[in-house]
């Protein structure tokens, strides 16, 4: 399969989608591709890696789901010593890694209309390709990974059913999700966006009495539940749908990760951040809770190497640095090593 390679300029081409007309077109694109698999490959295989990944350590305010239990340590993932399953063998026998991804999160995973096959590109996609390259180095690049578009709410059940092997979809590590998480690969925070001319919204406490949109199954929904009456909560399958509701005037504000909010602000100059981030959390690669311990341990090894050898930084500069400056790969604390 021949594909036109894309660069960070794809980000610039997608700006200016702001407004109801643009979002109608975006939603039409989203609907036309829902649940269609896309064959994509990745760069060279990752080598063995250990602790000592460069970057900065952030304060943890989230809980972590893992194969056996749940702790407040986001690094409490499966260690190689605990990897008793053979999910990796199953994937190798199949000859493909099946990854659940988004297709409408600009910078992270979105369709590139200028590629020959309208392929999905972004930071999460680069990482998924790297994992597939490590697991299946002898399989042709264009065949080693299937990207399956899933909604936020479907992430856990599609892992449990075996329809997908992994989720790489800006998924926050916490105990509410019934999955087994890898080590963190990105630090994020919950934040509010609203129209620039909206007054009186400057933080989570200011949302009382406001109509607020969040994505089903998201960490944002949990945060909003404590502050906003149920009748004022609007839930949608995907976070980009919240932007459309905001532009249509159906909601007063959107709560989502700062990483995703930055993409929405980039698409509409009439939208802005309101108040400071009010959580600190991490994204992890997710696998089914039981039966994939070896796969999670292998992903952890790939993540360490991906950060250490510069591929994380290269992808960050390409997709995210302009809108999310100052980010670095999360660092595993020496005292918390598995």
């Amino acid at each position: 399969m021949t594909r036109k390679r894309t660069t960070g300029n794809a980000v610039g081409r997608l700006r200016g989608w702001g407004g109801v007309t643009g979002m109608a077109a975006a939603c039409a694109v989203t609907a036309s591709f829902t649940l269609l698999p896309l064959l994509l490959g990745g760069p060279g295989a990752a080598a063995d890696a250990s602790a000592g990944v460069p970057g900065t350590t952030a304060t943890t305010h989230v809980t972590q789901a893992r194969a056996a239990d749940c702790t407040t340590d986001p690094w409490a993932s499966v260690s190689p010593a605990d990897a008793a399953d053979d999910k990796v063998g199953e994937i190798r026998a199949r000859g493909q890694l099946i990854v659940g991804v988004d297709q409408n999160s600009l910078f992270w995973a979105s369709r590139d209309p200028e590629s020959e096959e309208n392929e999905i590109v972004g930071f999460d996609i680069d990482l998924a390709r790297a994992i597939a390259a490590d697991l299946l180095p002898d399989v042709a690049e264009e065949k080693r990974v299937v990207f399956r578009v899933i909604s936020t709410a479907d992430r856990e059940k599609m892992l449990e059913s075996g329809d997908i092997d992994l989720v790489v979809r800006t998924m926050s590590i916490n105990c509410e999700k019934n999955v087994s998480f890898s080590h963190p690969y990105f630090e994020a925070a919950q934040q509010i966006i609203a129209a620039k001319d909206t007054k009186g919204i400057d933080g989570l406490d200011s949302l009382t009495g406001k109509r607020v949109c969040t994505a089903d199954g998201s960490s944002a929904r949990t945060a909003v539940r404590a502050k906003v009456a149920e009748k004022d909560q609007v839930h949608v399958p995907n976070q980009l749908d919240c932007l459309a509701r905001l532009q249509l005037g159906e909601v007063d504000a959107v709560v989502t990760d700062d990483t995703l909010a930055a993409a929405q602000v980039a698409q509409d100059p009439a939208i802005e951040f309101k108040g400071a981030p009010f959580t600190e959390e991490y994204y992890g690669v997710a696998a089914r809770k039981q039966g994939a311990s070896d796969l999670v341990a292998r992903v952890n090894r790939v993540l360490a190497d991906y950060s250490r050898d510069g591929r994380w930084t290269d992808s960050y500069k390409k997709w995210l640095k302009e809108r999310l400056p100052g980010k670095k790969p999360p660092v595993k604390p020496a005292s918390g090593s598995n």
Side-chain angles (χ1 to χ4, degrees):
M1 177 174 63
T2 302
R3 291 179 288 140
K4 176 181 175 182
R5 301 309 303 159
T6 57
T7 68
N9 291 334
V11 172
R13 291 195 303 269
L14 290 174
R15 289 178 188 154
W17 281 18
V20 176
T21 302
M23 283 310 306
C27 291
V29 171
T30 299
S32 67
F33 286 104
T34 300
L35 298 181
L36 291 180
L38 176 67
L39 295 179
L40 293 173
D48 276 329
S50 58
V53 179
T56 58
T57 303
T59 304
T60 301
H61 291 287
V62 294
T63 50
Q64 161 74 19
R66 57 183 298 183
D69 58 5
C70 193
T71 82
T72 57
D73 179 9
W75 295 94
S77 184
V78 177
S79 70
D82 296 328
D85 302 304
D86 193 24
K87 184 66 175 178
V88 171
E90 175 189 324
I91 293 167
R92 286 177 168 167
R94 184 198 306 140
Q96 286 183 326
L97 175 69
I98 305 173
V99 183
V101 298
D102 199 356
Q103 67 173 359
N104 56 18
S105 292
L106 189 60
F107 312 139
W108 292 90
S110 61
R111 297 281 177 178
D112 179 9
E114 293 196 5
S115 65
E116 292 181 0
E117 299 184 11
N118 208 29
E119 67 178 351
I120 305 176
V121 296
F123 187 87
D124 274 349
I125 302 305
D126 288 352
L127 175 57
R129 289 176 180 167
I131 295 169
D134 177 82
L135 292 171
L136 300 164
D138 298 327
V139 177
E141 178 182 348
E142 68 273 13
K143 295 181 179 179
R144 62 168 65 113
V145 57
V146 172
F147 287 152
R148 187 156 293 165
V149 175
I150 61 174
S151 71
T152 305
D154 286 342
R155 296 176 298 189
E156 295 172 50
K157 62 185 178 183
M158 291 196 70
L159 283 172
E160 184 61 30
S161 68
D163 290 332
I164 56 178
D165 301 312
L166 294 172
V167 170
V168 185
R169 196 186 183 283
T170 59
M171 192 169 183
S172 297
I173 298 171
N174 63 51
C175 287
E176 291 190 353
K177 300 180 177 73
N178 190 34
V179 301
S180 184
F181 277 112
S182 72
H183 289 158
Y185 69 86
F186 204 90
E187 182 187 353
Q190 292 297 315
Q191 199 153 5
I192 301 166
I193 57 173
K196 288 182 176 179
D197 58 4
T198 299
K199 306 300 181 183
I201 295 180
D202 57 6
L204 192 60
D205 290 338
S206 68
L207 295 179
T208 302
K210 308 292 186 184
R211 291 275 290 169
V212 181
C213 186
T214 60
D216 288 330
S218 66
S219 299
R221 182 171 182 181
T222 301
V224 166
R225 188 179 295 126
K227 298 292 183 178
V228 180
E230 181 64 32
K231 66 180 180 62
D232 292 326
Q233 297 178 36
V234 176
H235 311 304
V236 295
N238 295 292
Q239 55 84 24
L240 187 61
D241 298 330
C242 281
L243 179 58
R245 297 293 186 96
L246 184 61
Q247 291 169 325
L248 290 167
E250 296 178 359
V251 298
D252 300 306
V254 174
V255 177
T256 188
D257 298 353
D258 61 346
T259 53
L260 304 177
Q264 297 183 15
V265 170
Q267 293 176 54
D268 190 340
I271 303 298
E272 67 179 5
F273 289 102
K274 298 287 187 179
F278 52 86
T279 65
E280 291 179 359
E281 54 195 74
Y282 294 98
Y283 293 155
V285 177
R288 65 184 302 170
K289 192 164 186 177
Q290 303 295 333
S293 58
D294 63 322
L295 178 58
V296 177
R298 186 62 175 257
V299 169
N300 287 338
R301 193 188 74 174
V302 174
L303 288 176
D305 193 43
Y306 192 70
S307 297
R308 188 179 64 178
D309 66 17
R311 284 178 292 160
W312 189 101
T313 300
D314 290 343
S315 184
Y316 166 71
K317 288 178 178 178
K318 178 178 179 179
W319 300 110
L320 303 172
K321 184 177 181 179
E322 181 181 351
R323 293 287 171 174
L324 290 167
K327 298 283 189 176
K328 293 183 179 180
V331 174
K332 182 177 183 179
S335 61
S337 299
N338 285 325

